[in-house]
Amino acid sequence: MISSLISPNFPFPSLKSNSSRPPPKPSLSFPKPILCFHHRNPNIFENSSKPIGIFIKTILESNPDRVLFREVKKREGNGGKRGVSLVGSNQMLLLCGLGYWVQGFRCFPWLALNFHMAHYLNLHPSLLQLVQNSGNLPMVAKPLYGILSDALYIGGARRVPYISIGVLLQVLSWGSLALIPVAGEALPALMACVLLSNLGASITEVAKDALVAEYGQTNKICGLQSYTFMALAVGGVLGNFIGGYNLLSSPPRKMFLLFSILLSLQLSVSLATREESLGLVQLPEPDVHGKSIMENVRNQISELVTVISDPSVSRPLAWIVASIAIVPLLSGSIFCYQTQCLNLDPSIIGMSRVVSQLVLLSVTVLYDRHWKRVPMKKLIGMVQILYSFSFLLDIVLVKQINLKLGISNELFALCFSGLAETIAQFKLLPFSVLFASLSPKGCEGSLISFFASAVCLSSIVSGFLGIGLASLIGIRSGNYSSLPVGILIQFIAALLPLTCIHFVPMKSPVLEREKKRVMSRRSRKNRRVGRVMYSGSVCAYRRERESEIQG
């Protein structure tokens, strides 16, 4: 046995063949520690308590106090270390988890605002859709907020302070609509509050998205954006569910006040969070004394332009923007048709959004569990086809085909009314994961905000195209006979981006990361095993491959 070759006083077996010269008698005092750097097969790392081998086990049993053993910890697939919790995970969960939940809950006051404009202010369907899309104009300036977040520090931090500023602006806007009567009655004052609310929401979203991307890169976590979509969907479910029933018994101003209180809670959480507690790599703060703020901003813009010029970023970005902008949305006309012609109850409208958000939550979980390993081009192509065919469900409702099938208007609207919007939201998730993985260090806010701004601008273009289409084909309040023609145009327009699907990358970031991990494991198997040092002497050895031994 190997253990019989080891003397009680000398823990190492003989490494050389016997010769005429006797070996020097080893010292029993061990003036220097024994360092054993033993690189094992990475497949053995599953149990850190498993013995390395008979040789190392004998060393540890003979001289447990004299041997220093360095064990390599294996990184798990999600980027964390086994048995080690991520730094700042609880703070991130509270700050960003609550933030994205509140962002999804914004449908609660917006549902009340849409009914307020449609029933109390009696706005024309096209004017209602114009107000909705014009209120999103602050979202277009998201790249500016992202550049400022990357280049301009506030109190030594560049993410959390911007979250607080954005939430504060939202509190002021919705609080004014709740407490100042003229703010909700006069259209100019209402538009000012809507613009201020979306300005604050856009600043907060940019800072949160950049913070999540930076946290994922620091801790080697790919696909963290799927959890943000889950929080958004949960907030949307509760917001639409509560909002639909509150409209029956509560005035819109009360709903604005409740949302303002919720925003105040989010503001207190962001003010109590310190960015350094999140465990992120602190970049050197720009020297604003040596050079102006504008120079820092110009440098950040130059870096953003360099990143966007990369074909791996520009091509998928161009596709997602074009696929949204090319489809004329008729959301205002559909909403007015459901409330004015079909006389659907507000609770039905709210519950239909609840079903949509539940579907979004379900498909997001499926993406996180299974679909993120599907080739991205194949996944996006299937989603775009489903998106185009989802418009045809509106024709079923407008033509009342559902009544011929024995399905009531309430049930059909409850199950299928918001399906197209749900698919459109889910289509953004793979691209969010892609751009978050491609954003370089220090440019997370700029690239993610540019993506969000481009998507928002394409949505505004889509909305204005819908307004023009409604006016062109003669859709107006009380006359929706040409609405099916507009829906067919939407269906055809949604199929056109499939002709340029080659702009979408074939492989997802998760597949690329797993491929690199497998290649890294293979390379580790072929590395030099290590060396053993005892009292200054070095005995280098290399583990023979089994194929070589058999040969």
Side-chain angles (χ1 to χ4, degrees):
M1 295 177 64
I2 295 178
S3 59
S4 62
L5 300 176
I6 303 176
S7 173
N9 297 326
F10 186 67
F12 292 98
S14 177
L15 300 178
K16 297 182 180 180
S17 60
N18 296 330
S19 60
S20 58
R21 184 179 179 180
K25 185 177 181 180
S27 174
L28 300 180
S29 58
F30 291 99
K32 294 183 179 181
I34 298 175
L35 301 178
C36 179
F37 301 92
H38 191 90
H39 296 268
R40 297 178 292 169
N41 189 323
N43 296 325
I44 309 177
F45 283 169
E46 299 299 330
N47 188 359
S48 60
S49 63
K50 186 180 292 185
I52 304 169
I54 300 177
F55 179 66
I56 300 300
K57 179 180 179 181
T58 308
I59 296 176
L60 293 175
E61 291 176 351
S62 302
N63 291 278
D65 299 330
R66 300 293 184 179
V67 178
L68 301 178
F69 174 69
R70 186 178 69 182
E71 182 180 359
V72 180
K73 292 185 178 180
K74 176 187 176 183
R75 285 188 179 272
E76 294 180 344
N78 61 354
K81 292 184 178 182
R82 185 180 296 275
V84 180
S85 60
L86 298 179
V87 178
S89 58
N90 294 330
Q91 291 87 339
M92 277 291 297
L93 180 62
L94 180 60
L95 178 65
C96 291
L98 178 63
Y100 281 105
W101 183 87
V102 173
Q103 180 181 338
F105 199 78
R106 290 183 71 226
C107 60
F108 175 78
W110 267 101
L111 184 61
L113 185 61
N114 288 333
F115 272 94
H116 176 75
M117 291 187 294
H119 292 276
Y120 292 94
L121 300 183
N122 296 319
L123 295 185
H124 190 272
S126 298
L127 183 58
L128 173 63
Q129 188 167 343
L130 180 63
V131 172
Q132 292 173 341
N133 289 276
S134 299
N136 291 327
L137 287 177
M139 301 284 186
V140 181
K142 277 187 174 183
L144 176 60
Y145 317 142
I147 291 172
L148 291 177
S149 175
D150 286 337
L152 183 59
Y153 285 63
I154 300 178
R158 58 177 187 153
R159 305 299 184 203
V160 178
Y162 289 94
I163 295 178
S164 302
I165 293 173
V167 176
L168 178 61
L169 294 178
Q170 294 183 76
V171 172
L172 294 177
S173 62
W174 291 108
S176 299
L177 286 174
L179 301 177
I180 303 176
V182 69
E185 296 174 0
L187 187 59
L190 186 144
M191 276 299 302
C193 292
V194 169
L195 290 172
L196 184 62
S197 170
N198 286 336
L199 174 62
S202 59
I203 295 175
T204 303
E205 291 170 13
V206 166
K208 291 200 309 287
D209 292 342
L211 188 61
V212 170
E214 187 176 353
Y215 190 82
Q217 287 188 352
T218 302
N219 295 281
K220 310 297 182 184
I221 305 175
C222 186
L224 197 59
Q225 287 70 25
S226 59
Y227 296 98
T228 67
F229 268 67
M230 294 179 194
L232 283 169
V234 172
V237 168
L238 293 177
N240 285 300
F241 181 78
I242 299 174
Y245 282 98
N246 268 271
L247 283 174
L248 299 176
S249 57
S250 303
R253 289 177 57 186
K254 183 178 179 181
M255 298 176 65
F256 301 154
L257 182 60
L258 291 176
F259 188 65
S260 301
I261 296 174
L262 182 60
L263 288 172
S264 301
L265 174 62
Q266 183 188 3
L267 179 61
S268 63
V269 171
S270 61
L271 290 175
T273 304
R274 294 293 175 264
E275 193 164 315
E276 57 269 14
S277 65
L278 301 178
L280 302 176
V281 177
Q282 296 296 321
L283 299 179
E285 186 173 352
D287 184 11
V288 296
H289 301 288
K291 52 185 178 180
S292 64
I293 296 177
M294 292 305 299
E295 187 174 352
N296 292 327
V297 172
R298 283 195 296 268
N299 293 336
Q300 199 68 35
I301 293 176
S302 177
E303 185 177 355
L304 175 62
V305 172
T306 303
V307 174
I308 295 176
S309 301
D310 189 348
S312 63
V313 175
S314 59
R315 291 168 65 89
L317 182 63
W319 189 90
I320 185 64
V321 170
S323 67
I324 297 173
I326 201 174
V327 180
L329 287 183
L330 299 173
S331 56
S333 300
I334 296 294
F335 180 81
C336 292
Y337 175 78
Q338 291 177 347
T339 56
Q340 295 177 2
C341 292
L342 300 182
N343 296 319
L344 294 181
D345 194 85
S347 61
I348 299 297
I349 303 295
M351 286 300 298
S352 67
R353 305 292 174 85
V354 171
V355 173
S356 301
Q357 293 299 319
L358 286 174
V359 173
L360 178 61
L361 178 61
S362 302
V363 295
T364 303
V365 173
L366 288 175
Y367 173 82
D368 182 67
R369 298 287 183 178
H370 308 288
W371 295 349
K372 64 183 178 182
R373 292 174 178 83
V374 177
M376 188 172 177
K377 183 184 296 186
K378 179 180 178 181
L379 177 64
I380 294 300
M382 295 173 59
V383 170
Q384 188 66 24
I385 293 175
L386 289 176
Y387 178 62
S388 61
F389 277 92
S390 64
F391 286 113
L392 299 181
L393 295 174
D394 292 329
I395 292 185
V396 175
L397 187 63
V398 173
K399 290 291 187 178
Q400 296 290 276
I401 300 177
N402 56 294
L403 295 180
K404 299 177 182 179
L405 299 175
I407 304 174
S408 64
N409 292 330
E410 290 79 8
L411 181 59
F412 191 87
L414 180 66
C415 298
F416 304 108
S417 179
L419 185 59
E421 182 180 355
T422 301
I423 298 175
Q425 292 179 13
F426 173 75
K427 187 172 65 173
L428 301 178
L429 177 56
F431 289 94
S432 300
V433 176
L434 174 66
F435 294 128
S437 63
L438 294 177
S439 58
K441 201 67 180 177
C443 195
E444 299 90 353
S446 302
L447 181 58
I448 299 300
S449 61
F450 186 86
F451 164 64
S453 173
V455 169
C456 182
L457 180 60
S458 61
S459 299
I460 293 176
V461 172
S462 176
F464 282 124
L465 286 178
I467 295 173
L469 177 63
S471 301
L472 182 63
I473 62 179
I475 298 177
R476 60 182 60 90
S477 181
N479 183 13
Y480 297 96
S481 58
S482 56
L483 186 57
V485 177
I487 296 174
L488 286 176
I489 294 176
Q490 284 182 313
F491 167 72
I492 298 173
L495 290 176
L496 293 179
L498 293 174
T499 59
C500 301
I501 194 66
H502 58 275
F503 278 25
V504 180
M506 175 61 70
K507 294 183 179 180
S508 63
V510 177
L511 288 176
E512 291 290 341
R513 188 178 295 273
E514 290 182 351
K515 181 179 178 180
K516 292 179 180 179
R517 187 182 301 117
V518 171
M519 294 300 295
S520 177
R521 289 177 180 176
R522 290 178 180 176
S523 63
R524 284 201 302 268
K525 292 180 180 180
N526 298 325
R527 288 179 185 173
R528 182 166 58 90
V529 174
R531 60 183 182 178
V532 176
M533 296 183 295
Y534 170 71
S535 299
S537 63
V538 179
C539 294
Y541 64 94
R542 187 184 301 272
R543 177 175 295 156
E544 296 285 341
R545 296 182 182 178
E546 292 183 2
S547 59
E548 297 176 356
I549 295 176
Q550 294 175 359

